[in-house]
Amino acid sequence: MVFSKRPIPEPAQPLKVFPNPAQEQTTVELWTEGPTQTTISLHNLSGKLLRQETWNIAEGGLSQYTLSLTGLAQGMYVVMVVDKANYYITKISQQ
């Protein structure tokens, strides 16, 4: 896991996942107003939980989290990011 921090204004979409499609890992980028603890979960399209990780964000602004996709078959997956006030969801493709 690799963490980085860049202070920039709030984007139109607070959650971005790239590259998509991905191979072996993807970057989850999230804008927050302040420090928060988030849960990142990865599900198959049937809703089965495959992975779940805790992401502690120390400061508001734009933060990045590297999510490993190692060991997953090719296909579509759902990434969910939840904190105490927000819930974000997007799909990614593993190649």
Side-chain angles (χ1 to χ4, degrees), residues 49-66:
L49 178 64
L50 304 173
R51 297 198 178 143
Q52 186 167 316
E53 301 178 18
T54 300
W55 178 15
N56 291 306
I57 298 173
E59 299 177 12
L62 194 60
S63 299
Q64 293 184 339
Y65 184 88
T66 302

